[in-house]
Amino acid sequence: MTVFVVGPDDRGFFKKQRTTWEFEDALNQASDGDDILIKQGYQFSTDDKNYVIDKSVNISSEVKITMLGGLLLKNGAQVRLDNLSLWRNKEKTNVIQVRENSKLIATNVSLTNRATTGKNYPIIYIDGGSDVKFDNLYIEKDQISDGAYRIYAEKSNLEIYNSNLNCKVTAVESIVNLQNTFITYNDSNAINLKSKTQATLKNVTIVGGLTEKDYPCVWVGDSTINLIASIVRQSNYTAALCLQKGAYAEIDSSRIDSIAAYNSELNLQNESRISESVFVKNHSSLTADNLLIDGKNNGKVNIYMTQESSFKADWIGLAFESLPNIKIEDNVTFNVPEVYVLKFDSTNDEYDLDENNQYTIVKDNLQNDIEYFTTQKKEQAHKKEKDQKDLPKGPQKSGMQQLDEMIGLETVKQQVKEFIAVTVLNKKREEKGLNTSSQTLHSLFLGNPGTGKTTVARIVGHLLYEKGVIAEDKLIETSRADLVAGYVGQTAEKTRKVLESALGGILFVDEAYTLASGGQNDFGKEAIDEILKFMEDHRSNIMIIFAGYTNDMEKFLETNPGLRSRIPNKFDFEDYTVDEMVQIGLFSLKKQQYHVNPSSYADLLKNNLSKDNDNSNGRWVRNLNDKIIKKQAVRVALTDSYSEEDLINITDADLDAVRL
């Protein structure tokens, strides 16, 4: 083993031969197993360069010395670093790279990239089955703040002890072990674990996330995380720890501001504490022995559960009582025998314990205060199922017959007929090998609510299916809530699933302008981009209809240059006239097997419309009919007479009861 001493040139009057080395020369001359010792006072080159190491050497310094430049370990190199400070001034550069089954053990090392503009690359990059271990690592905060300043490990092992990191830690298909470490990063996730990564964090404090852009402090997807005596801090948020895509988290004696679990599994032990709230959704499971939830205000209930998830614990202790503390969907399995409010000392931020070191119960039996609910989607599904059962049997009318029988909408009817004629003509020409004009099915339905946009969309679907233009007679209705997710990266996936469900048929996007109404950082723009890409990739096997108010939809088209050119077909839904609204109302009552005096009904509708017209057209008529039917039902119930005549007749008195 040879020791290469790196230091200032020591030649002088009495010493003709230099006994010290320049760092790069020593690195080039060293062989496997050699030591490179850097002496105090040595000045590294002022060139910001990458030093390549493909051998096994030990590099150390007498005192902590600063080196401008980076290190690249490759080809199975095994390197030890001790007592060094490395920094760079370039964007898109790493300070340390460990690749190709190499190994690095570093002690008392400081790293930084002081570039002020451009884009960050990982300050530490590890891949290719490498092993890296740091003890007493310090990473200085970056100045670009683009959310990409990180330690990145892929298909490798990473260990960090007794360190202070002002960057994020990202791991893909790796094994990560962090202990006695403080991590702070507020430009993105502070921890990001992906693709079968296994991470153990013991006595680690993590502060970060970017609430304004919905970046959780700790994000775990399709990976496992074990938090032991650790802290995750991101206040006034709902997902400081976010678990997705089959993630598994085991939390022992730890404190986390908030947790959100989606299709994931969560196990809490030894009275771990949640400062704000727990969200358990999409077939997730949470088990615990005893769980403490402080319930500090982030605008959400303490526990919120949906979509056939499960919660099992011996008991839950809450610091404060609210109505409700717990809100769960009625398909959730909630197996918690006891829910308490415990005595809590807000000044010291601790639960009070009695002389036997037990919690003091302020109120018990809070199970009675749990709020159960049924989701709106489920109610809509039940209604749709019932409506389908109630459909009349026998031969169905053609799409064109259904269109002609609609009340009013003369302009739309003509536009639909022209659209179908051109579309069918193009198809026939194409079948005969003739040139066809360029045409896309994607359309705008513009107009006030209640003007039959959804009904016409369904009829257009029938017509296109009858003519063999689309493969399936189906219409998928969707809106912003079905397309836009709450966390970065989810919206594109969520939108794509909805789009794929409509392949072969029609996707009807109601109130489409809301996708572009959320501001610069809103995820609605991500949904629009995904829709545009899908429209390009699937021109021939999906029709997308964007519906909404005329003025709002014009603004929507202006938000993305690609929208207007890709949606060339426009249908203008005019408001119904008063006489048409009378026809709609009478037809609806007749369909429900009610009898009413037509002239009395017309007089009532015109009177009420003149005093309370919200421009909701058919919706306004439906609301009026609902009020009339309720008055008729109350009158019949009071007489306790339920003959067929009583059940079907709406009297003038019933109409007068809702007159304004």
Side-chain angles (χ1 to χ4, degrees):
M1 180 189 75
T2 302
V3 177
F4 291 83
V5 178
V6 174
D9 191 340
D10 59 352
R11 288 175 295 188
F13 185 78
F14 296 105
K15 189 176 184 181
K16 304 300 183 183
Q17 188 71 28
R18 181 175 180 176
T19 60
T20 59
W21 292 77
E22 294 295 335
F23 176 74
E24 190 168 9
D25 293 336
L27 199 58
N28 291 334
Q29 290 296 318
S31 301
D32 287 341
D34 288 345
D35 289 343
I36 298 175
L37 175 63
I38 304 170
K39 300 285 287 184
Q40 184 175 359
Y42 177 72
Q43 296 293 322
F44 279 88
S45 168
T46 57
D47 294 334
D48 185 352
K49 61 188 299 183
N50 227 18
Y51 296 97
V52 178
I53 305 176
D54 57 2
K55 61 194 73 173
S56 299
V57 294
N58 304 318
I59 303 173
S60 62
S61 175
E62 286 184 336
V63 297
K64 196 164 190 178
I65 194 166
T66 299
M67 182 178 93
L68 176 62
L71 300 178
L72 167 58
L73 281 61
K74 66 175 189 176
N75 196 27
Q78 297 188 27
V79 176
R80 288 181 177 267
L81 295 181
D82 183 37
N83 218 22
L84 286 174
S85 178
L86 284 73
W87 63 283
R88 308 200 73 173
N89 279 325
K90 295 180 180 179
E91 64 150 340
K92 298 182 179 179
T93 54
N94 315 112
V95 177
I96 292 180
Q97 296 181 66
V98 186
R99 317 190 73 161
E100 299 172 358
N101 290 297
S102 297
K103 183 174 182 179
L104 171 66
I105 299 176
T107 305
N108 194 26
V109 170
S110 300
L111 307 176
T112 186
N113 190 325
R114 296 176 184 172
T116 57
T117 59
K119 182 178 180 181
N120 276 315
Y121 275 6
I123 189 163
I124 301 173
Y125 182 92
I126 310 159
D127 73 0
S130 298
D131 285 286
V132 174
K133 178 179 178 181
F134 288 100
D135 194 350
N136 194 17
L137 168 67
Y138 175 74
I139 295 182
E140 185 177 309
K141 189 180 186 308
D142 73 304
Q143 299 179 53
I144 295 177
S145 300
D146 62 352
Y149 193 63
R150 63 201 186 277
I151 299 171
Y152 180 88
E154 183 173 339
K155 297 181 179 178
S156 298
N157 297 328
L158 171 65
E159 300 177 61
I160 301 177
Y161 303 95
N162 310 306
S163 297
N164 191 337
L165 313 178
N166 290 285
C167 67
K168 88 156 110 170
V169 177
T170 299
V172 180
E173 295 184 66
S174 295
I175 297 175
V176 177
N177 190 346
L178 308 179
Q179 291 190 30
N180 304 320
T181 292
F182 198 99
I183 302 172
T184 305
Y185 195 64
N186 296 108
D187 296 322
S188 179
N189 313 118
I191 299 280
N192 189 296
L193 308 177
K194 306 176 182 179
S195 305
K196 309 300 182 186
T197 291
Q198 299 178 40
T200 301
L201 283 65
K202 185 174 183 180
N203 195 26
V204 176
T205 297
I206 312 154
V207 180
L210 183 57
T211 300
E212 294 78 9
K213 293 186 177 180
D214 273 327
Y215 285 105
C217 180
V218 178
W219 188 90
V220 184
D222 188 27
S223 297
T224 299
I225 186 170
N226 186 3
L227 288 164
I228 305 167
S230 294
I231 297 171
V232 178
R233 291 174 53 193
Q234 185 181 13
S235 60
N236 297 317
Y237 190 56
T238 56
L241 169 61
C242 183
L243 308 174
Q244 293 188 1
K245 301 179 181 179
Y248 175 77
E250 190 161 301
I251 300 171
D252 189 340
S253 307
S254 295
R255 183 167 179 176
I256 301 170
D257 276 358
S258 57
I259 298 176
Y262 303 84
N263 190 28
S264 297
E265 188 175 348
L266 181 62
N267 183 14
L268 296 103
Q269 302 172 359
N270 296 319
E271 297 178 4
S272 291
R273 278 176 65 180
I274 311 300
S275 298
E276 297 181 14
S277 60
V278 178
F279 278 22
V280 185
K281 301 182 177 183
N282 192 15
H283 302 86
S284 295
S285 68
L286 186 155
T287 58
D289 44 17
N290 308 322
L291 180 62
L292 299 172
I293 303 182
D294 302 351
K296 294 180 180 177
N297 183 30
N298 66 358
K300 303 296 181 182
V301 296
N302 302 140
I303 299 174
Y304 182 84
M305 302 185 64
T306 65
Q307 297 166 299
E308 300 180 353
S309 297
S310 65
F311 194 128
K312 182 178 180 180
D314 294 335
W315 56 262
I316 296 171
L318 305 167
F320 306 100
E321 182 181 8
S322 60
L323 291 175
N325 287 91
I326 302 171
K327 188 173 180 179
I328 60 180
E329 191 177 358
D330 53 16
N331 58 26
V332 165
T333 301
F334 188 75
N335 185 5
V336 183
E338 300 291 345
V339 181
Y340 306 116
V341 176
L342 303 177
K343 191 174 182 181
F344 186 76
D345 183 352
S346 298
T347 303
N348 296 316
D349 198 30
E350 293 292 344
Y351 290 86
D352 279 351
L353 301 176
D354 61 19
E355 61 275 9
N356 297 318
N357 209 34
Q358 299 295 313
Y359 294 102
T360 302
I361 297 174
V362 176
K363 184 175 180 180
D364 58 6
N365 294 323
L366 261 70
Q367 291 94 333
N368 298 329
D369 297 327
I370 295 173
E371 181 178 319
Y372 292 88
F373 66 94
T374 300
T375 63
Q376 184 179 2
K377 282 187 178 181
K378 184 185 290 185
E379 291 174 343
Q380 290 172 346
H382 288 166
K383 182 179 183 301
K384 186 175 182 181
E385 183 179 349
K386 180 180 181 301
D387 291 345
Q388 289 174 340
K389 289 180 180 178
D390 293 341
L391 286 173
K393 302 295 186 283
Q396 298 295 305
K397 296 177 181 178
S398 70
M400 198 59 73
Q401 286 177 304
Q402 295 176 49
L403 182 69
D404 287 335
E405 290 179 2
M406 289 191 72
I407 296 168
L409 303 178
E410 297 307 320
T411 300
V412 168
K413 289 177 183 177
Q414 184 60 33
Q415 289 174 331
V416 169
K417 290 176 182 178
E418 292 173 357
F419 170 75
I420 295 298
V422 172
T423 303
V424 171
L425 183 66
N426 273 339
K427 178 176 175 56
K428 296 301 182 183
R429 287 178 61 87
E430 184 179 5
E431 290 173 352
K432 295 184 180 297
L434 300 172
N435 292 334
T436 61
S437 59
S438 177
Q439 186 189 22
T440 177
L441 300 177
H442 309 309
S443 303
L444 293 170
F445 278 23
L446 308 178
N448 285 325
T451 49
K453 292 189 286 293
T454 307
T455 302
V456 171
R458 192 170 286 111
I459 290 173
V460 168
H462 293 329
L463 287 166
L464 293 174
Y465 176 71
E466 289 169 357
K467 303 298 184 181
V469 177
I470 59 176
E472 297 182 52
D473 185 8
K474 69 176 177 181
L475 179 122
I476 304 297
E477 297 179 51
T478 190
S479 63
R480 176 187 170 91
D482 303 313
L483 302 173
V484 178
Y487 304 104
V488 67
Q490 288 183 313
T491 292
E493 181 179 350
K494 191 174 182 181
T495 301
R496 190 159 49 251
K497 287 182 180 178
V498 173
L499 288 162
E500 288 171 350
S501 72
L503 277 173
I506 295 178
L507 179 68
F508 184 84
V509 185
D510 196 18
E511 296 182 335
Y513 55 86
T514 60
L515 293 173
S517 63
Q520 186 64 32
N521 298 319
D522 183 70
F523 295 134
K525 291 181 173 57
E526 187 179 344
I528 294 172
D529 292 341
E530 188 63 32
I531 291 171
L532 284 172
K533 182 179 183 300
F534 201 89
M535 290 165 68
E536 284 296 306
D537 295 342
H538 302 275
R539 293 182 183 182
S540 62
N541 58 349
I542 189 172
M543 175 182 183
I544 301 178
I545 298 174
F546 300 86
Y549 297 98
T550 302
N551 291 338
D552 290 325
M553 291 299 291
E554 283 298 323
K555 294 176 184 176
F556 166 70
L557 293 175
E558 293 170 1
T559 62
N560 190 306
L563 280 170
R564 195 180 298 274
S565 62
R566 289 175 173 84
I567 318 172
N569 306 302
K570 185 170 71 170
F571 299 84
D572 298 301
F573 287 73
E574 64 266 40
D575 287 342
Y576 292 114
T577 66
V578 175
D579 289 339
E580 288 169 348
M581 292 174 73
V582 171
Q583 291 181 59
I584 291 170
L586 289 171
F587 178 79
S588 176
L589 290 174
K590 181 179 179 181
K591 189 176 179 181
Q592 297 177 73
Q593 295 182 304
Y594 286 104
H595 292 171
V596 66
N597 184 312
S599 61
S600 297
Y601 179 84
D603 180 68
L604 168 71
L605 185 146
K606 292 174 182 178
N607 172 78
N608 284 16
L609 188 64
S610 68
K611 298 177 180 179
D612 178 33
N613 185 1
D614 61 1
N615 295 315
S616 62
N617 293 280
R619 189 181 303 167
W620 187 94
V621 176
R622 287 195 298 273
N623 291 337
L624 176 66
N625 284 2
D626 287 343
K627 294 174 184 177
I628 295 169
I629 291 169
K630 288 177 183 176
K631 294 299 182 183
Q632 186 251 19
V634 170
R635 175 181 59 78
V636 172
L638 290 174
T639 65
D640 200 27
S641 172
Y642 297 99
S643 66
E644 182 176 337
E645 184 178 354
D646 291 326
L647 294 174
I648 65 173
N649 282 337
I650 293 174
T651 67
D652 285 358
D654 296 329
L655 299 177
D656 288 338
V658 298
R659 184 178 292 271
L660 299 177

